[in-house]
Amino acid sequence: MEWHSTACVLCACNCGIEIKLDGRRFDRIRGDKAHPSSQGYTCEKPLRLDHYQNGADRLTHPLRRRPDGGFEKIDWDTAIREVAAAFAATRDAHGGETIFYYGGGGQGNHLGGSYAGSFMRALGARYRSNALAQEKTGQFWVGDRMLGNVATGDFDHCEVALFIGKNPWQSHGIPRARPALREIARDPDRCLIVIDPRRTETAELADIHLRPKPGTDAWLLAALTATLVQEDLLPHDWLAAHTTGLDEVRDVLGRVPIGRYADVAGVDEALIRRTARRVAAAGSVAVHEDLGVQMTLHSTVNSYLDTLIWALTGNFGRPGTNNPPILFAPLVTFTHWGSRPDRFSPVAGARIISGLVPCNVIADEILTEDPRRYRAMLVETANPAHSLADSRRMREALNALDLLVVIDVAMTETARLADYVLPAPSQFEKWEATFFNLETPANYFHLRRPVLDPPPGSDLLPEPEIHARLCEAIDAVPDVTPLREALAEGRPAFAAAFLNALADPAVAKIAPVILYRTLGPALPGGAAAAASLWALAHKVALAHPAAVRRAGIDGEGLALGDNLFDAILASPSGIVFTLDEPGDGLTRVGTPDGRIHLALPDLLAEIESLGDGPPYDPDYPFVLSAGERRAFTANTIFRDPAWRRRDPSGSLRINPADAATLGLVNGSPARVTTRQGTVQVPIEITETLLPGHISLPNGLGLTYPGTPATTGAAPNELTASAARDPHAGTPWHKHVPARVEKM
Ligand SMILES: Nc1nc2c(c(=O)[nH]1)N[C@H]1C(S)=C(S)[C@@H](COP(=O)(O)OP(=O)(O)OC[C@H]3O[C@@H](n4cnc5c(=O)[nH]c(N)nc54)[C@H](O)[C@@H]3O)O[C@H]1N2
Ligand SMILES: Nc1nc2c(c(=O)[nH]1)N[C@H]1C(S)=C(S)[C@@H](COP(=O)(O)OP(=O)(O)OC[C@H]3O[C@@H](n4cnc5c(=O)[nH]c(N)nc54)[C@H](O)[C@@H]3O)O[C@H]1N2
Ligand code: SF4
Ligand SMILES: [Mo]
C-alpha cells in the first residue's frame, strides 16, 4: 500500500499530509515531512479527514429542483444547458450586474474558484463576496491605506510574538503553531504576549496575558499605543526614514487618557505600560490579529491600532517582524492609491474592499424592491445559509432570488435552498491548491494531486470543467485552434500567441478558461486544472524574479515563469516559490511615496471619540462569542457529527460564578437568547472565561443523514446582520448581547 502526498483542507495552514487508502477509506494519515512549510507537523484534526471524504451527504449527481420542492437527478448536459440559460435570462432581463457570486474557495481549495471569474465576467456580473468579507476586509482596508499592502508576522524569527484576539494553539494560522508557540514560551530571551479575554491554550503559555473585557480592545490598544507615544518609546530615525503622519498620530495618542482607557478594558495600567516597554525594547516583534478583534466592536479601529503597534516601533521589513508576503494569486487586491476608485455595493451602498461586498449586507441587497437588487446567485464551496449573520433572514434572501445555483461536494444548508446543485469531486479526488500563501521570508505553493477517483456510480465534474462548460454554453468561448497550434510549437510560441489573444476583451475576460481548454489538456497526468497557475507563475516571476531565483528556480525572461510552473507541477509535496532577503519587505510598500502612512484621520477621530465602554443592555447581560475555534471544530467542512470525539453538541462555555448564579451545573442544558433567536445547548463551566462572557463553537448546527436533527447550535441563528463595523461592514460575531437561562 502506497502513501499519497496531499494536504489538510481544514485550516489556512494546509499542512502537508500523506494518506494510505484501504479501498475508498482513509486508513492512515500522517504529516508529510517533505512539505516545505509544515515539515511533517499536523494537529489532531486531519486524522479524521475520512469523515469529509466519505461523508454520507456527499453529492453524487447534478440535481434540479422539482415543482413540488424536492430534487431530481439530471445529467450534466441538461444541467449546464439549463443553468447557463437561466443566468443568461437574468442578464437579458435585468443586466449582468444583478448576478452575484459567493465563495470560490474554502480552507483548502482555490483552484476551482480561479475559473469562476470567467463565467461571471462573461455574463457581465460585477459583484461578489466570500468569507473574507466577514473577517479580514477591515484589516485589508487599513493595510491598503497605510502601506498599499498587507503584512504578516514572521514568528519563526521574532523575539516578541504578539497575538491579538487569536488563539493559534487551536486555530493555527501560523506554520507548526504548537511547537512554534512552545519554542517562544520556553526561550527566556523571547516573549509571548496574548491579548484575549479568555485564558486560552495560547494564553496559558504566554509571558504576558492582557485580558480585556470582551469588546474593549479599542480602549486597550489605544492605551498600549498611547504609552509608546507618551513615554516616547519610538525609534525616531526609523520613523523619519520610512513613515509619514507621525505628528497627527502623536497628537491624538498623546491625549489618550491611558489610565481611564485601561479601566474601561479592565486591565491593570501598569501591565499595559510594561507590555508597551517590552515591545519597544525588542529586537523584533511579530504581530498577528484575528477574529477576536476583527469580529468585535470597533474592529477596523482595532486593526488600525494593531498595525500601529508594529509600525510605531519600526517592526517592519526585517526578519522576525511584519512583512508583505508575495502572493501567488491575488487573494487580496488593493486600490493602488486612487488608481482604482472606491466602489460601493449597489443597494446598501456598503464599501467594497478587496473586491468583496460585505457579507452582512448581502441579504439587504436582495430583500428590496430596488431594481438593482441581486436576482441570481452562484455559490461555490461556501455555505452562506449557515455562515452569514442572521441565518433566518439569509434563508429568506436566498429563497427570494430568481435563481440560486450551488457548487459543492455535500448537501449543505445552502444547497438545500438551491434551484440547481452541481456536484464536484472531493478535494482528494482532483487536482487542487490553496492560495493562502502568506509566509515570509520563504513562501510556499502546493499543487495537490488526486489521491483517489470519484465514487463509482457518481457523476461529478471538477469546478474548472463546470466553469468552462458554462462559458461555452453561453457562447463566450472563441475558437481556440490558433492557440492550440501555437502550443504544438512549444511554450514560447504559446506564450506569444496567448498574450496576443488577450488584446481581445472577449478573450481577456475568460482567460483562465481559455488556458484550461488550450494548455490544460497538454499538462501531464491530467493536470488540466493547473492551467490557470501558468499565468500566475509568470506574473510572480515577472514581478519578483530575484525572490523566485533564490527559491532555486532558474531561467531568463519568460523561461523563469515556465520553470516555476513546471517545478510546481513536478512537486507533489509543494515547493518554496519565493525567498526574501532582509529588507525586501520595505520594497513592497505600495504607497506612491514608498512610505508607511501612519495617520488615518477617520480612524484617529474614532479613537478620540471612544466613549465610556461598550453599550450594556440589562435584558441581555452577557457577551456571547458566537463561533469559537476549538479542538473539534472545522468550519462546516466536516458535516458528520461523529467526527467529534469530545463535546459532540458544542457546549456553551461559561464562568463558574455565572453558572452558580444561574443554578447551572456542568453538562446541564441551558437556553441562550439573543435579540435574534434562541438555542438550547449543554453547559461547560470553565475558569477560562471572564464573568459575563460566554462562548459557543463555530461550525455546529448542521443536519446530517441518520441523525435525528441538527447537532449543536448554529451560531448565526443568534447573530444580527446590522451588528457590523461602520467602515468595513464586518460582523460583530464575538460581541452578541445575550441572556442565559436554566431549563
Ligand atoms: N480548530 C479550528 N481551527 C480553525 C478553524 C476552525 O473552525 N476550527 N477555522 C479557521 C478559520 S476560518 C479562521 S478565520 C481562524 C480563526 O482563528 P481565531 O481568530 O484564533 O479563532 P476564534 O477562536 O474564533 O477567536 C480567537 C479568540 O478571540 C477571542 N475573543 C473573543 N472576544 C474577544 C475580544 O473582545 N477581544 C479579544 N482580543 N479577543 C476576543 C476568543 O476568546 C478566542 O480565543 O481559525 C482557523 N482555524
Ligand atoms: N457566527 C459566526 N459566523 C461565522 C464565523 C464565526 O466565527 N462566527 N466565522 C466566519 C469565518 S472566519 C469563515 S471562514 C466562514 C466559513 O464559512 P463558509 O465560507 O461558508 O465555508 P465553510 O464552512 O468553510 O464551508 C465550505 C463549503 O465547501 C464545501 N466543500 C468542501 N470541499 C469542496 C470542494 O472541493 N468543492 C466545492 N465546490 N465545495 C467544497 C463544503 O462542503 C462546505 O459546504 O464562516 C464565518 N461565519
Ligand atoms: S494546522 Fe490546520 S492545516 Fe495543519 S493539520 Fe491542523 S487543521 Fe490541518
Ligand atoms: Mo475564516
Side-chain angles (χ1 to χ4, degrees), residues 135 167 171 196-197 200 215 217 291-292 629-630 633 635 698 734:
E135 44 172 326
N167 180 15
S171 68
D196 195 312
T200 60
D217 295 84
L291 305 186
R629 272 67 186 167
R630 297 182 183 170
T633 71
N635 290 2
N698 69 318
K734 298 288 183 212

Side-chain angles (χ1 to χ4, degrees), residues 52 381 383 387 407-408 412 427 430 463 626-627 629 636 716:
Y52 161 78
T381 190
N383 192 3
S387 61
I407 306 175
D408 206 293
T412 66
Q427 295 180 48
K430 64 189 172 207
E463 290 84 348
R629 272 67 186 167
T636 65
N716 289 310

Side-chain angles (χ1 to χ4, degrees), residues 396-421:
E396 197 188 318
L398 294 172
N399 278 324
L401 293 166
D402 296 343
L403 175 67
L404 174 62
V405 179
V406 171
I407 306 175
D408 206 293
V409 299
M411 183 46 91
T412 66
E413 287 64 26
T414 310
R416 256 177 253 285
L417 305 175
D419 300 296
Y420 294 87
V421 183

Side-chain angles (χ1 to χ4, degrees), residues 701-718:
L702 305 179
T703 50
Y704 193 73
T707 49
T710 57
T711 306
N716 289 310
E717 301 295 335
L718 298 172

Side-chain angles (χ1 to χ4, degrees), residues 547-633:
V548 171
R549 288 207 178 88
R550 266 183 236 122
I553 312 291
D554 297 322
E556 294 303 319
L558 284 181
L560 186 64
D562 270 311
N563 291 346
L564 173 57
F565 178 62
D566 288 334
I568 288 169
L569 281 174
S571 309
S573 296
I575 62 166
V576 175
F577 75 95
T578 51
L579 189 59
D580 273 349
E581 275 188 343
D584 280 0
L586 282 165
T587 67
R588 293 203 286 273
V589 175
T591 53
D593 56 7
R595 285 165 175 270
I596 298 173
H597 288 238
L598 298 173
L600 300 183
D602 45 351
L603 300 182
L604 284 171
E606 190 171 325
I607 292 166
E608 287 213 281
S609 62
L610 285 173
D612 295 330
Y616 177 80
D617 179 346
D619 286 339
Y620 300 96
F622 285 92
V623 173
L624 167 69
S625 286
E628 184 176 82
R629 272 67 186 167
R630 297 182 183 170
F632 286 99
T633 71

Side-chain angles (χ1 to χ4, degrees), residues 145-170:
R145 297 169 71 196
M146 290 180 76
L147 62 151
N149 212 325
V150 286
T152 51
D154 171 7
F155 290 91
D156 281 336
H157 305 103
C158 65
E159 178 185 324
V160 169
L162 173 53
F163 292 102
I164 310 175
K166 170 80 191 167
N167 180 15
W169 185 271
Q170 290 303 6

Side-chain angles (χ1 to χ4, degrees), residues 20 60 114 116 140 143 159-160 189-190 237-238 299 399-400 407 438 467 483 533 576 599 605 618 643 721 728 738:
K20 222 178 224 186
T60 57
S114 73
F140 293 167
E159 178 185 324
V160 169
D189 297 328
R190 300 176 79 189
D237 291 348
W238 191 91
S299 48
N399 278 324
I407 306 175
L438 296 163
H467 296 301
L483 285 170
L533 302 179
V576 175
W643 91 276
S721 61

